[in-house]
Amino acid sequence: MAVTIDGSASVTINSGAVLGITSGTAVASTSGTSIDFTSIPSWVKRITVMLNGVSTNGTSNIQVQLGDSGGIETTSYSSVVSRIGSTGASNTTSTAGFLINNAITAAGTFFGVVQITLFDSATNTWSCFGTSNSADAANSGCLFNGSKATSATLDRVRITTANGTDTFDAGSINILYE
Amino acid sequence: MTHRTVVNCETGQITQVEYTAEEQAAYDAAVAAQASAEAQTESPVVEVTNG
């Protein structure tokens, strides 16, 4: 039997997985302390978080956290972000989330891409890497990576700040998953 | 009230979820603690010399 894929619709396979990349819904990051993308399908093996001109009202670093049916998990991350700019380099680590920025300014807006990939489905272990800019006077760039095992199958991601209290005030965020 | 934004990937629906009273209390306490820490950092240093 011949199978024709004409590109007019997504294609699913027996497990329910959609072949190709699925886009989430872009959301304005102009208020609130966090942005959650929920109901991510269980078959997903790679998630790309994209930040476009994002800003907060404070100087706390931006971070991405993973979650499952039990909620967002805030411990046991292995995360490091390296900031490289004209004023030198600095590293910051965290166990509370994947840091994606370092030493930002409240006035700065930044752009970044975060890729989260399933390392081992048996242990729900995810790897993270990506780049962002700090949009500060030193025009710094940030490289980051990390690892985290969720306690159950991942179904949500959260973008928030390390202190949890700074508020988003500009930009937009979206995800892709596949 | 403080809120978070939630995007449901299944439906595409975007909602703003207000903090519960418990979350709001924790948020207010964290903000107060940060303000207190910043005030201590910004306090002028008084140098005392003997003689």
Side-chain angles (χ1 to χ4, degrees):
Chain A
M1 181 180 73
V3 176
T4 302
I5 301 173
D6 64 6
S8 61
S10 60
V11 177
T12 59
I13 58 178
N14 289 343
S15 66
V18 176
L19 300 180
I21 301 173
T22 303
S23 177
T25 303
V27 60
S29 50
T30 52
S31 69
T33 55
S34 64
I35 295 172
D36 294 356
F37 289 87
T38 64
S39 299
I40 296 172
S42 59
W43 47 261
V44 165
K45 293 180 174 60
R46 179 158 57 188
I47 302 165
T48 304
V49 181
M50 302 162 290
L51 301 100
N52 183 40
V54 171
S55 172
T56 69
N57 67 347
T59 58
S60 182
N61 293 328
I62 309 294
Q63 67 181 6
V64 174
Q65 295 173 317
L66 310 181
D68 51 36
S69 56
I72 294 293
E73 300 192 0
T74 58
T75 60
S76 303
Y77 290 80
S78 174
S79 165
V80 61
V81 56
S82 299
R83 178 174 181 265
I84 305 165
S86 58
T87 57
S90 64
N91 297 331
T92 301
T93 61
S94 175
T95 59
F98 294 132
L99 293 175
I100 64 170
N101 221 322
N102 191 4
I104 66 173
T105 63
T109 59
F110 73 93
F111 304 80
V113 176
V114 185
Q115 199 157 93
I116 303 160
T117 54
L118 183 59
F119 176 80
D120 184 356
S121 60
T123 57
N124 298 310
T125 302
W126 294 79
S127 298
C128 167
F129 77 97
T131 63
S132 69
N133 72 309
S134 277
D136 57 7
N139 291 320
S140 302
C142 292
L143 305 173
F144 47 87
N145 60 65
S147 179
K148 160 73 179 170
T150 53
S151 55
T153 303
L154 180 148
D155 72 350
R156 66 196 72 184
V157 297
R158 168 173 289 175
I159 300 92
T160 185
T161 57
N163 68 8
T165 55
D166 287 355
T167 303
F168 289 101
D169 60 12
S172 57
I173 299 175
N174 197 4
I175 67 168
L176 304 174
Y177 54 88
E178 53 196 297
Chain B
M1 288 284 277
T2 310
H3 70 271
R4 64 175 59 90
T5 302
V6 178
V7 184
N8 185 313
C9 292
E10 210 167 12
T11 64
Q13 188 176 20
I14 300 171
T15 54
Q16 288 192 351
V17 179
E18 292 196 344
Y19 277 20
T20 63
E22 190 177 61
E23 289 174 328
Q24 187 66 45
Y27 174 87
D28 292 341
V31 170
Q34 288 166 24
S36 175
E38 287 171 8
Q40 287 180 2
T41 303
E42 292 168 1
S43 296
V45 175
V46 178
E47 191 171 320
V48 178
T49 56
N50 293 324

